[in-house]
Amino acid sequence: MSIRPIETSYAGHRFRSRLEARWAVFFDSLRIKWEYEPQGYAVGPEGRRRPYLPDFWLPKEKLWVEVKGTEEQMDVELLLHAAIPHFGLPNPAGPCWISDHQARLLILGPVPLVEAVHDAGELAGYVHPAHALLSFRKGDVFQGSAVFNSHGIELFPEGGLVGNDGPEVFWHTRGSNWGNWLTPGAAMNPDHDSRVQGAYRAARSARFEHGERP
């Protein structure tokens, strides 16, 4: 039995799920401008195009965002097609170049937390969630990562090869070179970023039952 998402009102928008609303709270906490479902597109090669409505557009970061609660909800082929510039999502503000990669699609799952790490009883640093990022370079789609900080988002496009613009998904390397898009890993930081930690906490604890204020 599947659990039906709860539509949620926040910031003048009616979100299709509470998880999407929580990420809007997170973006607001970090002062990241966002647009919710600004427009749908047909993505994919000629003859195989399918409709796709991305959840968020981040205009300053030039990134599309997809939010999903579980890996089972992911349409991997559709997202691969969306990440390929010449038949996927457009770049309304121009390409987001990181070295020779185009950062294309940020994938967010359940809202995590920043956790402190101790070694022999001493504080060793903080583990910041690293979210999956699909990037494109020379015909190939890669799974990199993105880490939020008090200044926005730091992007690391290098990673496992997901597929190409054939288009082909490299299913045989899923789980070894790529995968786990909703829980891809973490980044160790020796410093405490209270703004990011507060943003994750605000998003996780937001209550929407009695209006739009989290």
Side-chain angles (χ1 to χ4, degrees):
M1 183 180 68
S2 61
I3 299 175
R4 187 173 181 178
I6 301 172
E7 290 190 356
T8 303
S9 294
Y10 170 71
H13 294 271
R14 186 73 174 173
F15 293 89
R16 296 176 189 268
S17 71
R18 187 151 294 183
L19 181 58
E20 292 173 347
R22 293 191 186 283
W23 280 110
V25 172
F26 177 86
F27 295 146
D28 283 344
S29 297
L30 288 182
R31 298 179 182 176
I32 295 174
K33 293 183 178 180
W34 53 270
E35 299 174 16
Y36 179 64
E37 294 187 346
Q39 186 175 338
Y41 300 93
V43 301
E46 194 67 35
R48 294 172 56 189
R49 298 179 76 78
R50 288 196 286 160
Y52 175 45
L53 180 62
D55 295 314
F56 291 95
W57 166 247
L58 307 183
K60 181 180 177 182
E61 290 74 18
K62 302 180 182 179
L63 277 178
W64 294 101
V65 180
E66 176 69 18
V67 175
K68 281 289 184 286
T70 65
E71 291 280 344
E72 291 73 22
Q73 295 175 310
M74 308 290 289
D75 187 333
V76 172
E77 185 178 74
L78 181 66
L79 297 181
L80 177 89
H81 291 177
I84 296 169
H86 38 283
F87 53 63
L89 294 171
N91 295 99
C96 176
W97 289 103
I98 307 295
S99 185
D100 57 348
H101 284 256
Q102 277 194 57
R104 296 284 294 156
L105 183 63
L106 175 63
I107 302 174
L108 301 175
V111 182
L113 281 173
V114 175
E115 298 180 351
V117 176
H118 294 81
D119 183 16
E122 298 291 329
L123 180 64
Y126 298 85
V127 174
H128 286 240
H131 305 278
L133 172 74
L134 297 187
S135 67
F136 182 83
R137 183 188 68 184
K138 298 179 180 179
D140 293 322
V141 176
F142 296 84
Q143 176 184 333
S145 60
V147 179
F148 289 95
N149 57 44
S150 56
H151 304 292
I153 313 175
E154 191 170 3
L155 304 178
F156 304 91
E158 293 284 354
L161 185 60
V162 178
N164 60 33
D165 61 358
E168 179 185 4
V169 179
F170 296 158
W171 295 108
H172 61 286
T173 60
R174 189 180 191 183
S176 56
N177 289 354
W178 65 276
N180 297 322
W181 283 358
L182 301 186
T183 54
M188 189 70 176
N189 191 332
D191 301 317
H192 180 219
D193 194 326
S194 59
R195 282 194 64 194
V196 172
Q197 186 176 42
Y200 281 118
R201 285 179 174 171
R204 286 171 61 95
S205 62
R207 301 182 66 86
F208 305 97
E209 288 83 358
H210 304 293
E212 296 190 349
R213 292 182 62 84

